[in-house]
Amino acid sequence: MKVLVTGAAGAIGSTLAERLVREGHEVTALDCFTEYYDVAQKEANADALATAGVTVARIDLAEDDLAPHMRGVEAIFHCAAQPGISASVPFDTYERNNIRATERLLEAARSSDALGHFINIATSSIYGKEANGPETSEPKPASHYGVTKLAAEQLAMALHRDIGFPATSLRLFSVYGERERPDKLYHKLIRAILAGELFPLYEGSREHVRSYTYVGDIVDGFLAVLARRDAVLGEVINIGTDVTHTTGEGIDLVQELMGKEARFDMQPPRPGDQKETAADISKARRLLGYDPRTGLREGLAHEIAWVEAMQR
């Protein structure tokens, strides 16, 4: 199958693209290489894809001509997004990279006669500060990221409702693992410990509850969606683990695995941060046979080894 992956130089997109190639699919990979985080890390991810036989095209979904990249595409995984909940990112950036980019991609996808499945990658931030219910829970996003990702999801689902466009949307929960963005918890913590630097810890965040989900388990869910198209068209599905940990437990586990203590710089609470994510994956289990298997200790050991290898 010919599969297009947007955001293909990111952590999730690059891991997905590699798996698709190993499964025998032909992959078209797109990424904008924005400067939201270190472009060098994305370039390293792209180099790994090149080794697997996939070239990542530098494409801005909000501006560039997308039609040439749609030829023969049978499935699209739309992983590209403006991430994070930082107040330093203006709303216009979220609107451009999450809403406008998705709308343009959907319009281009509609022109592809071969397309059989558009898989939108959404987020538990759509639910708001407490994400612990089923997909029918009322969306209550508390950040520009959550608001614009909900809008992007609804653009895809509106097309499905209107003209039967073959869309599915997956709401992901607290993804971590190899290639994690440098601004995310575990990558930043591991690097701080290795460098002996202060780690910024937001007040009250040790008590936050998370469904920390290993990136390999996330991609397992993606492949199950690809294989069970007819069962999931028009559906919104939570993809994560139903095993939860507090952020404090995760931090303590990193320190234990590394055999070193972190030094903390306490910061005021972060606006828009989620207090609890607890993935209800009963729908994913029923429709996909989804069964995430990687425990937090195992997944963090993989990520620590990856960060240490990057530092050498």
Side-chain angles (χ1 to χ4, degrees):
M1 182 181 296
K2 186 172 184 179
V3 184
L4 185 149
V5 178
T6 72
I12 299 171
S14 62
T15 305
L16 169 63
E18 282 185 332
R19 284 280 299 277
L20 287 168
V21 169
R22 289 204 300 269
E23 296 284 332
H25 299 286
E26 178 185 352
V27 175
T28 296
L30 309 180
D31 200 286
C32 192
F33 290 87
T34 64
E35 295 183 357
Y36 175 77
Y37 67 89
D38 187 4
V39 173
Q41 181 177 321
K42 280 198 164 188
E43 289 174 340
N45 295 344
D47 288 344
L49 288 182
T51 300
V54 178
T55 299
V56 181
R58 292 177 180 255
I59 294 295
D60 185 344
L61 297 179
E63 298 289 343
D64 294 336
D65 182 10
L66 304 180
H69 305 283
M70 297 294 144
R71 297 189 185 109
V73 167
E74 298 167 82
I76 296 173
F77 282 94
H78 180 33
C79 302
Q82 176 64 47
I85 60 171
S86 172
S88 64
V89 179
F91 178 79
D92 287 352
T93 302
Y94 287 106
E95 186 277 332
R96 180 189 189 279
N97 294 335
N98 292 343
I99 300 177
R100 193 192 319 166
T102 301
E103 190 275 334
R104 292 188 79 250
L105 180 63
L106 286 166
E107 284 304 306
R110 290 176 63 181
S111 69
S112 173
D113 293 336
L115 184 70
H117 205 176
F118 184 97
I119 302 151
N120 179 67
I121 307 306
T123 169
S124 66
S125 292
I126 283 172
Y127 294 115
K129 292 198 172 185
E130 295 184 352
N132 53 18
E135 293 82 353
T136 53
S137 301
E138 179 185 0
K140 296 180 180 180
S143 65
H144 290 164
Y145 173 61
V147 167
T148 54
K149 287 295 285 179
L150 174 60
E153 176 181 88
Q154 286 304 304
L155 283 172
M157 303 317 290
L159 271 183
H160 173 77
R161 292 188 290 266
D162 185 31
I163 62 171
F165 182 75
T168 300
S169 189
L170 309 180
R171 294 177 178 174
L172 309 189
F173 283 72
S174 301
V175 187
Y176 75 97
E178 299 93 325
R179 302 176 183 169
E180 186 177 43
R181 291 198 323 265
D183 63 302
K184 293 192 71 178
L185 169 66
Y186 291 124
H187 189 164
K188 185 186 290 187
L189 175 63
I190 295 163
R191 289 174 67 106
I193 292 174
L194 288 173
E197 297 174 348
L198 289 172
F199 174 74
L201 185 64
Y202 299 102
E203 185 178 328
S205 63
R206 282 188 63 93
E207 287 70 49
H208 290 173
V209 175
R210 292 285 185 269
S211 284
Y212 290 116
T213 311
Y214 182 60
V215 64
D217 287 336
I218 290 290
V219 171
D220 285 344
F222 288 5
L223 294 180
V225 167
L226 191 64
R228 303 193 184 191
R229 169 189 178 276
D230 291 345
V232 300
L233 289 183
E235 300 288 350
V236 174
I237 306 171
N238 292 336
I239 299 291
T241 177
D242 51 6
V243 177
T244 60
H245 296 271
T246 65
T247 296
E249 289 172 339
I251 290 171
D252 292 345
L253 189 50
V254 168
Q255 294 179 112
E256 177 189 337
L257 288 166
M258 296 184 71
K260 297 178 182 178
E261 295 293 318
R263 298 168 54 229
F264 298 106
D265 176 22
M266 298 306 299
Q267 301 284 326
R270 187 168 55 169
D273 214 350
Q274 290 178 294
K275 294 182 179 179
E276 178 185 4
T277 70
D280 181 337
I281 57 173
S282 54
K283 186 174 183 178
R285 290 188 187 279
R286 174 170 52 85
L287 294 181
L288 304 172
Y290 180 62
D291 186 23
R293 299 178 181 275
T294 308
L296 187 59
R297 174 180 289 273
E298 179 185 354
L300 285 175
H302 290 316
E303 181 163 358
I304 290 167
W306 171 74
V307 176
E308 289 177 337
M310 285 183 61
Q311 300 291 79
R312 295 190 188 109

